[in-house]
Coordinates of all heavy atoms in Angstrom, one line a residue:
M256 N 86.3 198.8 160.5 CA 85.7 197.6 161.0 C 84.9 197.8 162.4 O 85.5 198.4 163.2 CB 86.7 196.5 161.1 CG 86.1 195.1 161.7 SD 86.2 193.8 160.5 CE 85.3 192.6 161.2
I257 N 83.8 197.3 162.4 CA 83.0 197.5 163.7 C 83.4 196.4 164.6 O 83.5 195.2 164.3 CB 81.5 197.3 163.3 CG1 81.0 198.4 162.4 CG2 80.7 197.4 164.6 CD1 79.6 198.3 161.8
E258 N 83.6 196.8 165.9 CA 84.1 195.9 166.9 C 83.0 194.9 167.4 O 83.2 193.7 167.5 CB 84.5 196.7 168.2 CG 85.0 195.7 169.3 CD 85.6 196.5 170.5 OE1 85.5 197.7 170.5 OE2 86.1 195.8 171.4
F259 N 81.8 195.4 167.5 CA 80.6 194.5 167.8 C 79.7 194.6 166.7 O 79.0 195.6 166.5 CB 80.1 194.9 169.1 CG 81.0 194.7 170.3 CD1 81.5 195.9 171.0 CD2 81.4 193.5 170.7 CE1 82.5 195.8 171.9 CE2 82.4 193.4 171.8 CZ 82.9 194.6 172.4
K260 N 79.6 193.5 166.0 CA 78.9 193.4 164.8 C 77.5 193.5 164.7 O 76.8 194.0 163.8 CB 79.4 192.1 164.0 CG 79.0 191.9 162.6 CD 79.6 190.6 162.1 CE 79.2 190.3 160.7 NZ 79.8 189.2 160.1
Y261 N 76.8 192.8 165.7 CA 75.3 192.7 165.6 C 74.6 193.6 166.6 O 74.8 193.6 167.8 CB 75.0 191.2 166.0 CG 75.5 190.2 165.0 CD1 76.6 189.4 165.3 CD2 74.9 190.1 163.8 CE1 77.1 188.5 164.4 CE2 75.4 189.2 162.8 CZ 76.6 188.5 163.2 OH 77.1 187.7 162.2
D262 N 73.7 194.3 166.0 CA 72.7 195.2 166.7 C 71.6 194.2 167.1 O 70.8 193.8 166.2 CB 72.2 196.3 165.9 CG 71.3 197.2 166.5 OD1 71.0 197.1 167.7 OD2 70.8 198.1 165.8
T263 N 71.4 194.0 168.4 CA 70.5 193.0 168.9 C 69.4 193.7 169.7 O 69.7 194.5 170.7 CB 71.1 191.9 169.8 OG1 72.3 191.4 169.1 CG2 70.3 191.0 170.3
Q264 N 68.1 193.6 169.2 CA 67.1 194.2 170.0 C 65.9 193.3 170.2 O 65.6 192.4 169.4 CB 66.5 195.4 169.0 CG 67.6 196.4 168.7 CD 67.0 197.5 167.8 OE1 66.0 198.0 168.1 NE2 67.8 197.7 166.7
L265 N 65.3 193.4 171.4 CA 64.1 192.6 171.7 C 63.4 193.1 172.8 O 63.8 194.0 173.5 CB 64.6 191.2 171.9 CG 65.5 191.0 173.2 CD1 64.9 189.9 174.1 CD2 66.8 190.8 172.8
L266 N 62.3 192.6 173.0 CA 61.4 193.0 174.2 C 61.2 191.7 175.1 O 61.2 190.6 174.7 CB 59.9 193.4 173.7 CG 59.8 194.6 172.9 CD1 58.4 194.8 172.4 CD2 60.3 195.9 173.7
I267 N 61.3 192.0 176.4 CA 61.1 191.0 177.5 C 59.9 191.3 178.2 O 59.6 192.4 178.6 CB 62.3 191.0 178.5 CG1 63.7 190.9 177.8 CG2 62.1 189.9 179.5 CD1 64.8 191.0 178.7
E268 N 59.0 190.3 178.2 CA 57.7 190.5 178.9 C 57.5 189.5 180.0 O 57.8 188.3 179.8 CB 56.6 190.4 177.9 CG 55.2 190.8 178.6 CD 54.1 190.9 177.5 OE1 54.0 190.0 176.6 OE2 53.3 191.8 177.5
G269 N 57.1 190.0 181.2 CA 56.9 189.0 182.3 C 56.4 189.8 183.5 O 55.8 190.8 183.4
K270 N 56.7 189.2 184.7 CA 56.3 189.8 185.9 C 57.5 190.1 186.8 O 58.5 189.2 186.8 CB 55.3 188.9 186.7 CG 54.1 188.6 185.9 CD 53.1 189.7 186.0 CE 51.7 189.3 185.4 NZ 50.9 190.4 184.9
N271 N 57.5 191.1 187.5 CA 58.5 191.4 188.5 C 59.9 191.5 187.8 O 60.9 191.0 188.4 CB 58.6 190.3 189.6 CG 57.3 190.4 190.4 OD1 56.7 191.4 190.7 ND2 56.7 189.2 190.6
L272 N 60.0 192.1 186.7 CA 61.3 192.2 185.9 C 62.0 193.4 186.6 O 61.5 194.4 187.1 CB 61.1 192.6 184.4 CG 60.3 191.5 183.7 CD1 60.1 191.9 182.3 CD2 61.2 190.3 183.6
D273 N 63.3 193.3 186.6 CA 64.2 194.3 187.3 C 65.2 194.8 186.2 O 66.1 194.1 185.9 CB 64.9 193.8 188.5 CG 65.6 194.8 189.2 OD1 66.1 195.8 188.6 OD2 65.8 194.7 190.5
E274 N 65.0 195.9 185.6 CA 65.9 196.4 184.6 C 67.3 196.6 185.0 O 68.3 196.4 184.3 CB 65.4 197.6 183.9 CG 65.4 198.9 184.8 CD 64.8 200.1 184.1 OE1 63.5 200.1 183.8 OE2 65.5 201.2 183.9
N275 N 67.5 196.9 186.3 CA 68.8 197.1 186.8 C 69.6 195.8 186.9 O 70.8 195.7 186.6 CB 68.8 197.8 188.2 CG 68.4 199.2 188.1 OD1 68.7 200.0 187.2 ND2 67.6 199.6 189.1
K276 N 69.0 194.7 187.3 CA 69.5 193.4 187.4 C 69.9 192.8 186.0 O 70.9 192.3 185.9 CB 68.6 192.4 188.1 CG 68.6 192.6 189.6 CD 67.7 191.4 190.3 CE 67.6 191.6 191.7 NZ 66.8 190.5 192.3
I277 N 69.0 193.1 185.1 CA 69.2 192.7 183.7 C 70.4 193.4 183.1 O 71.3 192.9 182.6 CB 67.9 192.8 182.9 CG1 66.9 191.9 183.4 CG2 68.3 192.6 181.4 CD1 65.5 192.0 182.8
H278 N 70.4 194.7 183.4 CA 71.5 195.6 182.9 C 72.8 195.1 183.5 O 73.8 194.8 182.7 CB 71.3 197.1 183.3 CG 72.3 197.9 182.8 ND1 73.5 198.2 183.6 CD2 72.4 198.8 181.8 CE1 74.3 199.0 183.0 NE2 73.7 199.4 181.9
D279 N 72.9 194.9 184.7 CA 74.1 194.4 185.4 C 74.6 193.0 184.9 O 75.8 192.8 184.8 CB 73.8 194.4 187.0 CG 73.8 195.7 187.5 OD1 74.0 196.8 186.8 OD2 73.3 195.8 188.7
Y280 N 73.6 192.2 184.7 CA 73.9 190.8 184.1 C 74.6 190.9 182.8 O 75.6 190.3 182.5 CB 72.7 190.0 184.0 CG 73.0 188.5 183.7 CD1 73.3 187.6 184.6 CD2 73.2 188.1 182.2 CE1 73.7 186.3 184.3 CE2 73.5 186.8 181.9 CZ 73.7 185.9 182.9 OH 74.1 184.6 182.6
F281 N 74.1 191.9 181.9 CA 74.7 192.1 180.7 C 76.2 192.6 180.7 O 77.1 192.0 180.1 CB 73.9 193.2 179.9 CG 72.8 192.6 178.9 CD1 71.7 192.0 179.5 CD2 72.9 192.5 177.6 CE1 70.7 191.5 178.7 CE2 71.9 192.0 176.8 CZ 70.8 191.5 177.3
I282 N 76.3 193.6 181.6 CA 77.7 194.2 181.8 C 78.7 193.2 182.4 O 79.8 193.1 181.9 CB 77.6 195.4 182.8 CG1 76.7 196.5 182.2 CG2 79.0 195.9 183.2 CD1 77.2 197.0 180.9
E283 N 78.3 192.2 183.2 CA 79.1 191.3 183.9 C 79.3 190.0 183.0 O 80.4 189.3 183.1 CB 78.5 190.8 185.2 CG 78.5 192.0 186.2 CD 77.7 191.7 187.5 OE1 77.2 190.5 187.6 OE2 77.5 192.5 188.3
N284 N 78.4 189.7 182.0 CA 78.5 188.4 181.3 C 78.7 188.5 179.9 O 79.0 187.5 179.2 CB 77.3 187.6 181.7 CG 77.3 187.2 183.2 OD1 78.0 186.3 183.6 ND2 76.5 188.0 184.0
F285 N 78.4 189.6 179.2 CA 78.5 189.7 177.8 C 79.5 190.7 177.3 O 79.6 191.8 177.9 CB 77.1 190.1 177.1 CG 76.0 189.0 177.5 CD1 74.8 189.6 178.0 CD2 76.2 187.7 177.4 CE1 73.8 188.7 178.3 CE2 75.2 186.8 177.7 CZ 74.0 187.3 178.1
K286 N 80.1 190.5 176.2 CA 81.0 191.5 175.6 C 80.1 192.2 174.6 O 79.4 191.7 173.8 CB 82.2 190.8 174.9 CG 83.1 190.2 175.9 CD 84.3 189.5 175.1 CE 85.2 188.7 176.0 NZ 86.2 188.0 175.4
G287 N 80.2 193.6 174.6 CA 79.5 194.4 173.7 C 79.5 195.8 174.2 O 80.1 196.3 175.1
D288 N 78.6 196.6 173.5 CA 78.5 198.0 173.9 C 77.1 198.5 173.5 O 76.3 197.8 173.0 CB 79.6 198.9 173.2 CG 79.5 198.9 171.8 OD1 78.6 198.5 171.1 OD2 80.5 199.4 171.2
C289 N 76.9 199.8 173.8 CA 75.6 200.6 173.5 C 74.4 199.8 174.2 O 73.3 199.7 173.5 CB 75.4 200.7 172.0 SG 76.6 201.6 171.2
L290 N 74.6 199.3 175.4 CA 73.5 198.6 176.0 C 72.4 199.6 176.5 O 72.7 200.7 177.1 CB 74.1 197.9 177.3 CG 73.0 197.2 178.3 CD1 72.2 196.2 177.5 CD2 73.7 196.8 179.5
L291 N 71.2 199.2 176.2 CA 70.0 199.9 176.7 C 69.0 198.8 177.2 O 68.7 197.9 176.5 CB 69.3 200.6 175.5 CG 68.1 201.4 175.8 CD1 68.4 202.6 176.8 CD2 67.5 202.0 174.5
A292 N 68.7 198.9 178.5 CA 67.7 198.1 179.1 C 66.8 198.9 179.9 O 67.2 199.3 181.0 CB 68.5 197.0 180.0
V293 N 65.7 199.2 179.3 CA 64.8 200.2 179.9 C 63.3 199.6 179.9 O 63.0 198.8 179.0 CB 64.7 201.5 179.3 CG1 66.1 202.3 179.4 CG2 64.3 201.4 177.8
G294 N 62.5 200.0 180.9 CA 61.2 199.6 181.0 C 60.7 199.6 182.3 O 61.1 200.4 183.2
D295 N 59.8 198.7 182.7 CA 59.2 198.6 184.0 C 59.2 197.1 184.4 O 59.9 196.4 183.9 CB 57.8 199.2 184.0 CG 56.8 198.5 183.0 OD1 57.0 197.3 182.7 OD2 55.9 199.2 182.5
D296 N 58.4 196.9 185.4 CA 58.4 195.4 185.9 C 57.7 194.4 185.1 O 57.8 193.2 185.4 CB 57.9 195.4 187.4 CG 56.5 195.8 187.6 OD1 55.9 196.4 186.6 OD2 55.9 195.4 188.6
E297 N 57.1 194.8 184.0 CA 56.4 193.9 183.1 C 56.9 193.9 181.6 O 56.7 192.9 181.0 CB 54.9 194.2 183.1 CG 54.3 193.9 184.4 CD 52.7 194.1 184.5 OE1 52.2 194.7 183.5 OE2 52.1 193.9 185.5
L298 N 57.7 194.9 181.3 CA 58.2 195.0 179.9 C 59.5 195.7 179.8 O 59.5 196.8 180.4 CB 57.1 195.7 179.0 CG 57.5 195.7 177.5 CD1 57.4 194.4 176.8 CD2 56.5 196.7 176.8
I299 N 60.4 195.1 179.3 CA 61.8 195.8 179.1 C 62.3 195.7 177.7 O 62.2 194.5 177.1 CB 62.8 195.1 180.1 CG1 62.4 195.4 181.6 CG2 64.3 195.6 179.8 CD1 63.3 194.8 182.6
K300 N 62.7 196.8 177.2 CA 63.3 196.9 175.9 C 64.8 196.6 176.0 O 65.5 197.3 176.8 CB 63.0 198.2 175.2 CG 63.7 198.6 174.0 CD 63.4 197.8 172.8 CE 64.1 198.3 171.6 NZ 63.7 197.7 170.4
I301 N 65.4 195.8 175.2 CA 66.8 195.6 175.2 C 67.4 196.0 173.8 O 66.8 195.7 172.8 CB 67.2 194.1 175.4 CG1 66.7 193.6 176.8 CG2 68.7 193.8 175.2 CD1 67.4 194.1 178.0
H302 N 68.4 196.7 173.9 CA 69.2 197.1 172.7 C 70.7 196.9 173.1 O 71.2 197.4 174.2 CB 69.0 198.5 172.4 CG 69.8 199.1 171.2 ND1 71.0 199.7 171.4 CD2 69.6 199.0 169.9 CE1 71.5 200.0 170.2 NE2 70.7 199.6 169.3
F303 N 71.5 196.1 172.2 CA 72.8 195.7 172.6 C 73.6 195.5 171.4 O 73.1 194.7 170.5 CB 72.8 194.6 173.6 CG 74.1 194.2 174.2 CD1 74.8 195.2 175.0 CD2 74.6 192.9 174.1 CE1 76.1 194.8 175.5 CE2 75.7 192.6 174.8 CZ 76.5 193.5 175.5
H304 N 74.9 195.9 171.2 CA 75.7 195.5 170.2 C 76.7 194.4 170.7 O 77.3 194.7 171.7 CB 76.6 196.7 169.7 CG 75.7 197.8 169.1 ND1 76.2 199.0 168.8 CD2 74.4 197.9 168.8 CE1 75.3 199.8 168.3 NE2 74.1 199.1 168.3
T305 N 76.7 193.4 170.0 CA 77.6 192.2 170.4 C 78.0 191.4 169.3 O 77.4 191.5 168.1 CB 76.7 191.3 171.4 OG1 77.6 190.3 171.9 CG2 75.4 190.7 170.9
N306 N 78.9 190.5 169.5 CA 79.2 189.5 168.4 C 78.6 188.2 168.7 O 78.8 187.2 167.8 CB 80.8 189.3 168.3 CG 81.5 190.6 167.8 OD1 80.8 191.3 167.0 ND2 82.6 190.9 168.2
E307 N 77.8 188.0 169.8 CA 77.3 186.8 170.1 C 75.7 187.0 170.6 O 75.4 186.8 171.7 CB 78.0 186.1 171.4 CG 79.4 186.0 170.9 CD 80.3 185.5 172.1 OE1 80.1 186.1 173.3 OE2 81.2 184.6 172.0
P308 N 74.9 187.3 169.5 CA 73.5 187.7 169.9 C 72.8 186.5 170.4 O 71.8 186.6 171.3 CB 73.0 188.2 168.6 CG 73.9 187.5 167.5 CD 75.2 187.5 168.1
W309 N 73.2 185.2 170.1 CA 72.5 184.0 170.6 C 72.6 183.9 172.0 O 71.7 183.4 172.8 CB 73.1 182.8 169.9 CG 74.6 182.6 170.0 CD1 75.2 182.0 171.1 CD2 75.6 183.2 169.2 NE1 76.6 182.1 170.9 CE2 76.8 182.8 169.7 CE3 75.5 183.8 168.0 CZ2 78.0 183.2 169.1 CZ3 76.7 184.2 167.4 CH2 78.0 183.8 168.0
K310 N 73.7 184.4 172.7 CA 73.9 184.4 174.2 C 72.8 185.4 174.8 O 72.3 185.0 175.8 CB 75.3 184.8 174.6 CG 76.3 183.7 174.2 CD 77.6 184.1 174.7 CE 78.7 182.9 174.5 NZ 79.9 183.3 175.0
V311 N 72.6 186.6 174.2 CA 71.6 187.5 174.7 C 70.3 186.9 174.7 O 69.5 187.0 175.6 CB 71.7 188.8 173.8 CG1 70.5 189.7 174.2 CG2 73.0 189.4 174.0
L312 N 69.9 186.2 173.5 CA 68.6 185.6 173.3 C 68.4 184.5 174.4 O 67.4 184.3 175.0 CB 68.4 185.1 171.9 CG 68.4 186.1 170.8 CD1 68.3 185.5 169.5 CD2 67.4 187.2 171.0
E313 N 69.5 183.7 174.6 CA 69.4 182.5 175.5 C 69.1 183.1 176.9 O 68.3 182.5 177.6 CB 70.6 181.7 175.4 CG 70.7 180.5 176.4 CD 72.0 179.7 176.2 OE1 73.0 180.3 176.2 OE2 71.8 178.5 176.2
Y314 N 69.7 184.1 177.3 CA 69.6 184.6 178.7 C 68.2 185.3 178.8 O 67.6 184.9 179.8 CB 70.7 185.7 179.0 CG 70.4 186.6 180.2 CD1 70.4 186.0 181.4 CD2 70.0 187.9 180.1 CE1 70.0 186.7 182.6 CE2 69.7 188.6 181.2 CZ 69.7 188.1 182.4 OH 69.4 188.8 183.5
C315 N 67.9 186.0 177.9 CA 66.6 186.8 178.0 C 65.4 185.7 178.0 O 64.5 185.9 178.7 CB 66.4 187.7 176.9 SG 67.5 189.2 177.1
A316 N 65.5 184.7 177.2 CA 64.5 183.7 177.1 C 64.4 182.9 178.4 O 63.3 182.3 178.7 CB 64.7 182.8 175.9
S317 N 65.5 182.8 179.2 CA 65.5 182.1 180.4 C 64.7 182.9 181.5 O 64.3 182.3 182.5 CB 66.9 181.9 180.9 OG 67.6 183.0 181.4
L318 N 64.6 184.2 181.3 CA 63.9 185.0 182.2 C 62.3 184.9 182.1 O 61.6 184.6 183.0 CB 64.2 186.5 182.1 CG 65.7 186.8 182.3 CD1 65.9 188.4 181.9 CD2 66.1 186.6 183.7
V319 N 61.8 185.1 180.9 CA 60.4 185.1 180.5 C 60.3 185.0 179.0 O 61.1 184.6 178.3 CB 59.8 186.4 181.1 CG1 59.5 186.3 182.6 CG2 60.4 187.6 180.7
E320 N 59.1 185.5 178.6 CA 58.9 185.5 177.1 C 59.6 186.7 176.5 O 59.7 187.8 177.0 CB 57.3 185.8 176.9 CG 56.9 185.7 175.5 CD 55.4 185.9 175.3 OE1 54.7 185.7 176.3 OE2 55.1 186.0 174.1
I321 N 60.2 186.4 175.3 CA 60.8 187.4 174.5 C 60.1 187.4 173.1 O 59.5 186.4 172.7 CB 62.3 187.1 174.3 CG1 62.6 185.9 173.6 CG2 63.0 187.2 175.7 CD1 64.0 185.6 173.2
Y322 N 60.1 188.7 172.5 CA 59.5 188.8 171.2 C 60.0 190.1 170.6 O 60.9 190.9 171.1 CB 57.9 188.8 171.2 CG 57.3 189.9 172.1 CD1 56.8 191.1 171.4 CD2 57.2 189.8 173.5 CE1 56.2 192.1 172.2 CE2 56.6 190.8 174.3 CZ 56.1 192.0 173.6 OH 55.5 192.9 174.3
D323 N 59.5 190.4 169.4 CA 60.0 191.5 168.6 C 61.5 191.6 168.5 O 62.2 192.5 168.6 CB 59.5 192.8 169.1 CG 58.0 193.1 168.7 OD1 57.4 192.3 168.0 OD2 57.5 194.1 169.2
I324 N 62.0 190.4 168.1 CA 63.5 190.1 168.0 C 64.1 190.7 166.7 O 63.6 190.3 165.7 CB 63.8 188.7 168.2 CG1 63.4 188.2 169.6 CG2 65.4 188.5 168.0 CD1 63.4 186.7 169.7
V325 N 65.0 191.6 166.8 CA 65.7 192.0 165.6 C 67.2 191.9 165.7 O 67.8 192.5 166.7 CB 65.3 193.5 165.3 CG1 66.1 194.1 164.0 CG2 63.9 193.7 165.1
I326 N 67.9 191.2 164.8 CA 69.3 191.1 164.9 C 69.8 191.6 163.5 O 69.5 191.0 162.5 CB 69.9 189.7 165.2 CG1 69.3 189.3 166.6 CG2 71.3 189.7 165.1 CD1 69.5 187.9 166.9
E327 N 70.6 192.8 163.6 CA 71.1 193.3 162.3 C 72.6 193.3 162.3 O 73.2 193.6 163.2 CB 70.5 194.8 162.1 CG 69.1 194.8 162.0 CD 68.5 196.2 161.8 OE1 69.1 197.1 162.5 OE2 67.5 196.4 161.1
D328 N 73.2 192.9 161.2 CA 74.6 192.9 160.9 C 75.0 194.3 160.6 O 74.9 194.7 159.4 CB 74.9 191.9 159.8 CG 76.4 191.8 159.6 OD1 77.1 192.6 159.9 OD2 76.8 190.7 159.0
M329 N 75.5 195.1 161.5 CA 76.0 196.4 161.2 C 77.1 196.6 160.3 O 77.3 197.5 159.6 CB 76.2 197.2 162.5 CG 75.0 197.2 163.4 SD 75.3 198.2 165.0 CE 76.5 197.2 165.7
D330 N 78.0 195.5 160.3 CA 79.2 195.6 159.4 C 78.7 195.5 158.0 O 79.1 196.2 157.1 CB 80.1 194.4 159.7 CG 81.4 194.5 158.9 OD1 82.0 195.5 158.9 OD2 81.7 193.3 158.4
R331 N 77.7 194.6 157.7 CA 77.2 194.4 156.4 C 76.5 195.7 156.0 O 76.5 196.1 154.8 CB 76.2 193.2 156.4 CG 75.7 192.8 155.1 CD 74.8 191.5 155.2 NE 74.3 191.2 153.9 CZ 75.0 190.5 153.0 NH1 76.2 190.1 153.1 NH2 74.3 190.2 151.9
Q332 N 75.7 196.3 156.9 CA 74.9 197.5 156.6 C 76.0 198.6 156.2 O 75.7 199.4 155.4 CB 74.1 198.0 157.8 CG 72.9 197.2 158.0 CD 72.1 197.6 159.2 OE1 72.6 198.2 160.1 NE2 70.9 197.2 159.3
S333 N 77.1 198.7 157.0 CA 78.0 199.8 156.7 C 78.7 199.7 155.3 O 79.2 200.7 154.8 CB 79.1 199.9 157.8 OG 80.0 198.8 157.7
R334 N 78.7 198.5 154.8 CA 79.3 198.3 153.5 C 78.2 198.4 152.4 O 78.5 198.2 151.2 CB 79.9 196.9 153.4 CG 81.2 196.7 154.2 CD 81.8 195.4 154.1 NE 81.0 194.4 154.9 CZ 80.7 193.2 154.6 NH1 81.0 192.8 153.4 NH2 80.0 192.4 155.3
G335 N 77.0 198.7 152.8 CA 75.9 199.0 151.8 C 75.3 197.8 151.3 O 74.6 197.8 150.2
L336 N 75.4 196.6 151.9 CA 74.9 195.4 151.4 C 73.5 195.2 152.0 O 73.3 195.4 153.2 CB 75.8 194.2 151.8 CG 77.2 194.3 151.2 CD1 78.1 193.2 151.8 CD2 77.2 194.3 149.7
K337 N 72.6 194.5 151.4 CA 71.3 194.2 152.0 C 71.3 192.7 152.3 O 72.0 191.9 151.9 CB 70.2 194.4 150.9 CG 70.2 195.9 150.6 CD 69.0 196.3 149.8 CE 69.1 197.8 149.4 NZ 67.9 198.4 149.3
G338 N 70.2 192.4 153.2 CA 70.0 191.1 153.6 C 70.4 190.9 155.0 O 70.5 190.1 155.8

């Protein structure tokens, strides 16, 4: 069984973004693993495994615009199920 079920990926676009602050916020406020928060002050790619992807989306949307959102159920994928 996978501890953190949802592979959550998205792009954050805005002005004066700080990938270190975003990374630290994730570590301090969300349960999960495999965090990747990389980019520059206008575009940051997020990749995170969690059981609560809606919290990630809510936080990121509070910063600026988010898009290219992908949430995949890794447990379902590991069992060979589609959808």
Side-chain angles (χ1 to χ4, degrees):
M256 176 116 190
I257 297 172
E258 183 178 3
F259 298 107
K260 184 176 178 175
Y261 296 104
D262 178 5
T263 306
Q264 301 176 52
L265 64 131
L266 295 173
I267 302 172
E268 185 173 44
K270 301 283 184 201
N271 301 314
L272 298 174
D273 185 331
E274 68 184 62
N275 293 322
K276 283 184 180 179
I277 293 170
H278 179 277
D279 292 347
Y280 187 90
F281 270 72
I282 297 299
E283 294 168 9
N284 294 281
F285 301 134
K286 292 180 183 175
D288 63 12
C289 298
L290 174 60
L291 179 66
V293 295
D295 57 29
D296 64 343
E297 293 182 357
L298 184 67
I299 295 180
K300 167 75 175 183
I301 298 292
H302 174 266
F303 190 55
H304 297 171
T305 183
N306 290 329
E307 302 171 321
W309 56 89
K310 289 184 178 182
V311 170
L312 297 178
E313 182 178 43
Y314 166 68
C315 292
S317 76
L318 299 173
V319 286
E320 184 177 351
I321 61 174
Y322 62 98
D323 285 353
I324 300 163
V325 176
I326 300 173
E327 297 179 324
D328 183 334
M329 295 184 300
D330 184 50
R331 188 173 178 84
Q332 287 177 340
S333 71
R334 291 180 283 135
L336 302 173
K337 296 193 182 209

